[in-house]
């Protein structure tokens, strides 16, 4: 990491804190994916990593390259906007698919459908 | 000094993300059901994008950003298609 010596101290400390926060949230989400008991509890855990986790790592990357190249580097916003748009869509689709499958099997863990379908 | 702080925190972040990816791989392998595997695969994609961004900070090159963007795009498409498959039994009707 030879390029890192040119970084001022405040930027290095801020980038380090944001990196550790993001990676820690990703790890906590993945541990939750392992430890929680059923699917409907588990689907909540990884969203820690997909919202604030990747958000703070993107902020760290933006800050790092902006200070290093002394010009605004903002293309990481693309990933942030994309994750914010797609994470709820995919997880809602997945939860609906799981609910449909559980109801089809007549599982006692999920509530019955009130509209009669599925 | 600042370079040492930064390189240590980058290393720790990489270790934590690798552990998290290990947890996700374990959930893909164990299951127990198909929807758990799809959820773990989605988590794995996001963690891979985060790990690539950390690699970009470590090497100081902007190339890794594009790889992370492509992974984020493909992860969304893969998870959407797999949920459709779980719901209907086929992807294109």
């Amino acid at each position: 990491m030879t390029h890192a010596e040119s970084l001022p101290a405040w930027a290095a400390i801020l980038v380090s804190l944001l990196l550790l926060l993001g990676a820690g949230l990703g790890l906590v989400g993945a541990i939750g994916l392992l430890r929680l008991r059923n699917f409907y509890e588990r689907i909540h855990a990884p969203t820690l990593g997909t919202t604030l986790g990747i958000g703070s790592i993107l902020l760290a990357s933006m800050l790092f390259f902006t200070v290093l190249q002394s010009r605004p580097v903002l293309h990481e916003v693309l990933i942030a906007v994309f994750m914010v748009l797609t994470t709820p869509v995919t997880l809602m689709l997945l939860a609906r698919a799981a609910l449909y499958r559980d109801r089809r099997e007549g599982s006692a863990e999920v509530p019955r459908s009130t509209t009669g379908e599925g | 000094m600042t370079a040492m702080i930064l390189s240590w925190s980058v290393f720790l972040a990489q270790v934590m993300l690798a552990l998290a990816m290990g947890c996700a791989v374990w959930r893909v392998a164990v299951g127990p059901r198909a929807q758990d595997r799809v959820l773990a695969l989605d988590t794995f994609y996001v963690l891979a994008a985060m790990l690539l961004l950390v690699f970009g900070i470590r090497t100081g090159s902007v190339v890794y950003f594009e790889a992370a963007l492509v992974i984020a795009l493909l992860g969304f498409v893969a998870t959407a298609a797999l949920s459709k498959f779980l719901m209907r039994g086929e992807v294109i009707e």
Side-chain angles (χ1 to χ4, degrees):
Chain A
M1 296 192 57
T2 50
H3 54 276
E5 273 99 34
S6 55
L7 211 66
W10 63 271
I13 290 170
L14 209 55
V15 167
S16 307
L17 285 179
L18 283 171
L19 273 183
L20 289 179
L21 176 70
L25 279 172
L27 181 58
V28 168
I31 290 174
L33 190 68
L34 272 191
R35 291 293 309 276
L36 293 175
R37 283 185 304 278
N38 64 28
F39 176 78
Y40 300 101
E41 288 176 6
R42 278 198 283 269
I43 201 167
H44 294 286
T47 51
L48 280 178
T50 55
T51 50
L52 189 57
I54 201 164
S56 60
I57 284 189
L58 287 168
L59 261 182
S61 178
M62 276 163 73
L63 186 68
F64 181 79
F65 286 111
T66 300
V67 174
L68 202 66
Q69 303 180 359
S70 55
R71 67 182 174 90
V73 177
L74 295 176
H75 53 211
E76 276 89 352
V77 175
L78 268 178
I79 296 185
V81 168
F82 194 74
M83 289 310 286
V84 166
L85 283 180
T86 58
T87 304
V89 175
T90 52
L91 292 186
M92 289 280 283
L93 271 175
L94 195 57
R96 288 183 72 102
L99 189 61
Y100 177 76
R101 279 163 69 94
D102 277 347
R103 278 183 181 155
R104 272 266 299 259
E105 289 173 2
S107 164
E109 288 180 9
V110 294
R112 232 166 241 294
S113 165
T114 50
T115 53
E117 60 178 31
Chain B
M1 183 62 196
T2 58
M4 210 179 75
I5 293 175
L6 194 62
S7 64
W8 268 102
S9 62
V10 164
F11 175 71
L12 271 179
Q14 279 177 329
V15 168
M16 283 199 271
L17 286 175
L19 278 176
M21 285 171 95
C23 293
V25 168
W26 180 259
R27 185 49 83 186
V28 170
V30 169
R33 302 198 62 202
Q35 50 261 41
D36 293 298
R37 295 197 164 103
V38 175
L39 177 64
L41 201 65
D42 187 62
T43 314
F44 187 77
Y45 270 118
V46 175
L47 290 171
M50 285 158 82
L51 192 59
L52 275 173
L53 288 166
V54 177
F55 265 126
I57 291 180
R58 186 183 188 91
T59 55
S61 88
V62 200
V63 182
Y64 290 102
F65 158 76
E66 287 159 22
L69 186 62
V70 169
I71 284 184
L73 276 162
L74 287 183
F76 166 62
V77 175
T79 312
L82 282 170
S83 334
K84 190 88 178 1
F85 178 75
L86 288 182
M87 190 99 168
R88 297 278 183 203
E90 55 192 343
V91 178
I92 301 166
E93 292 176 28

